[in-house]
Amino acid sequence: MNKWLPCIGILMSFSAVSLTTEIGTFGDVWEIAEQNLLTVIEGQVESAFLGNEEKIQQEWRERVTKNAERPEPVQRLTKALKNTTRTFDPSFTVTKDIRDHNGIVFARKGQKVNPFDITPFNETLYFIDGDDEKQLAWVAAQKPATAIHKIILVNGNIKTTAETLNQRIYFDQGGVLVSRFGIEKLPSVVDEMSNQSLLRITEVAVQ
């Protein structure tokens, strides 16, 4: 689990424009006795925090921990009602020349590149809802053929899911991977198609 250090920043900006014109003196002249606006606000802020620093920091830590353990769920995902399989082509078009550390171009602008032509995808990705006990039981029983496998939550508590499954858990914050693979049903499995430079995406109906 990452550690979070509290950091509270207050940024205040003031600007003033002064315009003076010599029009003579009328009546007595008095020194301005008003407090500087910045000083007044700083005093109010300091007064509000005085004696409450520990409480405020504790509340802040609790909010950060809660958000870190249970991020915002990925929306518009439903349970799979039947088993389905489809392919996904990871190829992309290069937008500019890509060079290696020696300056040699190995991919030119406009070229279509499939990353699996360079390196295999030796992973299995499981996308699940961590609040669904049936999905937890299902993923715990999986025996992936790849050397690496990752369980990726789209909803649920990372900490309790990790404890339940006794392994490291990831979370697809913002639904980046879900959008990339076009996942709509849960649970879903992403792995590489045998002897092809394609990914296989399988939706599984968990009973």
Side-chain angles (χ1 to χ4, degrees):
M1 180 64 63
N2 294 327
K3 297 180 179 178
W4 301 272
L5 297 177
C7 177
I8 301 177
I10 300 176
L11 177 62
M12 296 180 291
S13 174
F14 299 92
S15 61
V17 178
S18 176
L19 177 64
T20 59
T21 305
E22 179 60 36
I23 58 173
T25 302
F26 294 85
D28 296 326
V29 179
W30 302 88
E31 291 186 5
I32 298 175
E34 294 179 358
Q35 285 184 280
N36 180 278
L37 180 58
L38 180 59
T39 301
V40 172
I41 293 179
E42 286 178 340
Q44 292 175 345
V45 171
E46 183 176 332
S47 176
F49 279 86
L50 189 61
N52 295 313
E53 298 93 336
E54 184 175 346
K55 179 181 177 181
I56 292 172
Q57 289 186 9
Q58 179 60 30
E59 291 176 349
W60 188 89
R61 281 194 294 267
E62 290 175 355
R63 285 199 304 271
V64 170
T65 300
K66 181 180 179 181
N67 291 336
E69 291 182 354
R70 180 181 283 276
E72 191 71 21
V74 181
Q75 303 297 323
R76 296 182 294 277
L77 294 175
T78 58
K79 294 181 181 180
L81 299 179
K82 61 180 180 179
N83 296 343
T84 62
T85 300
R86 59 185 172 85
T87 59
F88 176 84
D89 186 352
S91 300
F92 63 95
T93 301
V94 179
T95 58
K96 63 179 181 179
D97 290 353
I98 302 177
R99 304 173 184 273
D100 63 17
H101 63 284
N102 292 319
I104 299 175
V105 176
F106 63 88
R108 297 192 177 279
K109 180 179 179 179
Q111 178 181 349
K112 189 174 182 179
V113 176
N114 188 318
F116 299 162
D117 291 337
I118 302 172
T119 179
F121 184 78
N122 192 28
E123 296 186 25
T124 301
L125 309 179
Y126 297 101
F127 290 83
I128 67 168
D129 180 344
D131 286 343
D132 188 326
E133 293 184 0
K134 290 184 178 180
Q135 292 186 40
L136 291 177
W138 170 82
V139 78
Q142 298 306 299
K143 305 294 182 183
T146 56
I148 301 172
H149 75 279
K150 296 176 181 177
I151 297 175
I152 304 174
L153 297 188
V154 296
N155 177 54
N157 188 297
I158 298 174
K159 182 174 182 292
T160 56
T161 303
E163 292 173 348
T164 299
L165 299 176
N166 193 31
Q167 60 182 295
R168 186 174 184 178
I169 300 297
Y170 300 83
F171 199 101
D172 185 17
Q173 288 190 312
V176 175
L177 294 178
V178 163
S179 297
R180 172 62 173 157
F181 297 133
I183 293 174
E184 298 178 348
K185 308 291 184 179
L186 298 173
S188 281
V189 185
V190 178
D191 57 6
E192 188 174 14
M193 290 285 289
S194 299
N195 303 316
Q196 296 186 55
S197 298
L198 296 171
L199 285 174
R200 175 176 55 191
I201 301 177
T202 306
E203 297 173 353
V204 182
V206 176
Q207 303 301 326

